[in-house]
Amino acid sequence: MEALRSPGFFRLFLAYLVSQAGSKVHRVALLVLVYLLTENALWVSLTLGAQLVGTVVFSPLLSAWADTQDRKALLVWSDLLRAPLVALIPLLGAKSLPFLLLLVFLLELLRSLHDPIQNAVVPDLVEEKHVDSANGLVMFAERLSEVAFVGLAGALVAWVGPAYAFYLDAATYLASGFILLGLPPLRPDRKAQGVPYWKRIKEGIGHLVGHPAVRRTVGALFTAAAFGSVETALGVVLALKWLRVGSAGFGLMEASLALGAILGTLLVPQLTQRLPRERLFLYGLIVYGLFEASIGALPVFAWVLLALFLSGIANMAFIVPARSILQLNTPPEMRGRIFAAFSAVMNAAVLIGTMLGGSLERSLGAPLLFLLAGLMVSLVAALTLLTGGIPAATRSPEGRST
C-alpha cells in the first residue's frame, strides 16, 4: 500500500475506482438495452464488435499521437468527454441502433486513449520499488468493481431500467475527470515530439518485437491467452451443461475467480520482494495453467470453485509483474504506444481463445478443453523459463530502465 502515499498515484487510483464502478453498470445496461430493443443476439454481437474494433485497430494509432501530448490533459478530457456520450445512449441511441453503435465506438476510442496513458504514467507517479504495488492496486480496483458492482448493476437495471444506469455511469466519468485534475503535470517527453507520426508507430512496433524482455513477455502472454481464455467462453457451458449448477452456480464461479484475484493483488507486492518479477511472472503462468487444467481433470463443483479462486491469485501473479516489466523496459516517451499495442495483442489472443473454445466444445467437451488449454498455458510458460526466461530491466546512465 506504499504506493498510495504518493498523492498523484492516489488520485489516479481513486479516479479509476470511481470510473470502474460506473463502467460495470454501463456494460450490463448496454447489453440489456440492445437485447430489449432488438431481441436479436446479432445486435449484441455487433455492439461488442464495435468495441473490439475500437480497441484492436485504433488504440495503437491514437497512442502514437498521445505520446506527444500532455498526458494529464488527455486523462482528464477522455473522462469528461465520455460523460455526455454515455448520457446520449438512452436519449438518442435507444431510438437509432446505428447511432447507438456510433456512440459505443466513440466511447471505446476514448477508453482506448485513456487506459494506455493510465498504465504508462504509473512509473512517473511512484518510486520504482513501488511499481508492482501500484500496478497491483490498479488491478485491485478493477477486480473489486467486478465483485461489488456487476451484481449491483443487474439489480439496478432491473429496478430502474437501463437509462438511469447510463446516467450513473456518466456521473462517475465526471467525478473521475475532476479527480484527475489534481494530478501533477505529465508533459510529454521532448524526444517523442521530434519524431514524425508514422515513425512513432514504427518505433512502438519495433520496441514490442525487438526488445528481448518485452518481446518474450508479450509472446508468452499472447500464446497463453490464446489457450487460457477458453474459460471466457466455456465457463458458463461448464456450469450449465456439465456441472448442472445453473446460473447461480456460474455466478459463484465468477465470484470465486474475482475474489482470488483481489487476494492476489494484495499478495503480489509481497512476492516481488522475495522473487524477481520476471521469474514470478512465469511461475504465475505455470500455476494458473495447472489450476485451469485441474478443472477439466476434476469437474466437481466444489473443486472448481476452489481451483478458480486459486487461479485468480495466480492470474494476478503474472498480470501485475507483466505490467511492471513493460513499464520498466520501455522509455517514458514510448509507454503509451507499447501499452496500446499490448492491449490490441491481448484482445486478439482472447478473441482467438474464445472462438477456439466455442467451436471445439461440441466435439471435445468443456472439461477436456479446460484440461488441454491449461496444460498448454503451463507448457508455454515452462518453455519460456527453460529457454532463458525474461531478462531483468537494466539501468541506463541517465537512470532510466532499458
Side-chain angles (χ1 to χ4, degrees):
M1 298 296 180
E2 291 291 329
L4 290 176
R5 295 183 181 180
S6 164
F9 178 75
F10 177 76
R11 283 186 173 273
L12 189 75
F13 171 77
L14 182 60
Y16 187 61
L17 184 60
V18 170
S19 65
Q20 277 293 295
S23 295
K24 302 307 178 186
V25 175
H26 170 98
R27 178 174 174 79
V28 173
L30 178 64
L31 298 180
V32 170
L33 176 66
V34 171
Y35 191 73
L36 288 177
L37 289 174
T38 65
E39 296 186 355
N40 189 334
L42 176 60
W43 277 100
V44 176
S45 298
L46 288 173
T47 303
L48 296 173
Q51 294 176 324
L52 186 65
V53 169
T55 299
V56 174
V57 177
F58 290 94
S59 182
L61 300 178
L62 285 171
S63 291
W65 168 78
D67 276 345
T68 64
Q69 307 302 310
D70 185 321
R71 289 174 169 175
K72 174 183 173 180
L74 291 180
L75 286 171
V76 171
W77 281 108
S78 59
D79 269 349
L80 296 181
L81 289 174
R82 279 188 279 185
L85 290 176
V86 169
L88 285 175
I89 290 177
L91 295 174
L92 298 177
K95 300 175 182 178
S96 169
L97 288 172
F99 189 71
L100 175 63
L101 292 180
L102 175 62
L103 290 173
V104 169
F105 176 72
L106 292 175
L107 285 166
E108 190 63 18
L109 287 185
L110 289 170
R111 190 197 66 77
S112 297
L113 179 65
H114 183 281
D115 288 0
I117 297 173
Q118 174 185 272
N119 288 317
V121 302
V122 168
D124 299 326
L125 299 175
V126 300
E127 297 179 46
E128 182 178 329
K129 62 182 179 181
H130 296 145
V131 167
D132 293 305
S133 175
N135 285 320
L137 285 165
V138 171
M139 295 302 301
F140 173 80
E142 184 174 330
R143 299 302 185 182
L144 180 64
S145 297
E146 290 176 357
V147 174
F149 297 111
V150 170
L152 177 63
L156 180 66
V157 171
W159 182 36
V160 299
Y164 289 99
F166 289 117
Y167 299 144
L168 173 63
D169 187 28
T172 63
Y173 280 129
L174 285 175
S176 176
F178 284 116
I179 292 171
L180 292 172
L181 279 172
L183 286 175
L186 296 168
R187 297 185 179 91
D189 193 288
R190 291 183 179 180
K191 292 180 180 179
Q193 291 180 315
V195 179
Y197 174 78
W198 290 108
K199 187 175 180 180
R200 290 198 300 274
I201 294 178
K202 183 178 179 181
E203 282 181 347
I205 296 172
H207 185 78
L208 194 69
V209 300
H211 191 286
V214 174
R215 180 181 67 249
R216 289 178 70 84
T217 300
V218 174
L221 273 179
F222 176 85
T223 310
F227 291 106
S229 58
V230 299
E231 187 272 332
T232 305
L234 299 183
V236 65
V237 177
L238 185 72
L240 300 180
K241 180 179 177 181
W242 297 89
L243 300 177
R244 300 189 182 279
V245 292
S247 58
F250 176 61
L252 286 174
M253 290 165 57
E254 292 288 286
S256 294
L257 182 65
L259 287 171
I262 289 174
L263 180 58
T265 60
L266 303 177
L267 292 176
V268 166
Q270 310 302 319
L271 293 173
T272 54
Q273 293 177 10
R274 295 169 172 81
L275 284 172
R277 63 175 60 91
E278 294 81 10
R279 192 166 289 269
L280 178 61
F281 163 71
L282 294 172
Y283 288 165
L285 269 176
I286 291 171
V287 173
Y288 177 85
L290 292 176
F291 279 122
E292 184 173 52
S294 76
I295 292 172
L298 185 62
V300 177
F301 187 54
W303 172 252
V304 168
L305 290 179
L306 179 59
L308 286 172
F309 175 76
L310 295 173
S311 67
I313 298 175
N315 182 256
M316 291 300 101
F318 68 80
I319 287 293
V320 172
R323 291 192 176 196
S324 300
I325 291 168
L326 293 183
Q327 290 162 346
L328 297 176
N329 285 282
T330 302
E333 70 273 10
M334 294 177 62
R335 287 188 193 131
R337 280 170 277 171
I338 291 304
F339 272 96
F342 174 68
S343 177
V345 169
M346 289 301 102
N347 275 295
V350 170
L351 180 61
I352 291 171
T354 53
M355 295 298 292
L356 190 65
S359 61
L360 295 177
E361 196 281 328
R362 180 168 293 183
S363 58
L364 298 180
L368 180 56
L369 284 172
F370 268 89
L371 175 63
L372 295 175
L375 291 176
M376 288 301 299
V377 170
S378 296
L379 179 61
V380 167
L383 286 174
T384 305
L385 185 64
L386 293 172
T387 55
I390 308 294
T394 56
R395 306 298 296 179
S396 69
E398 292 80 12
R400 290 178 178 176
S401 296
T402 57

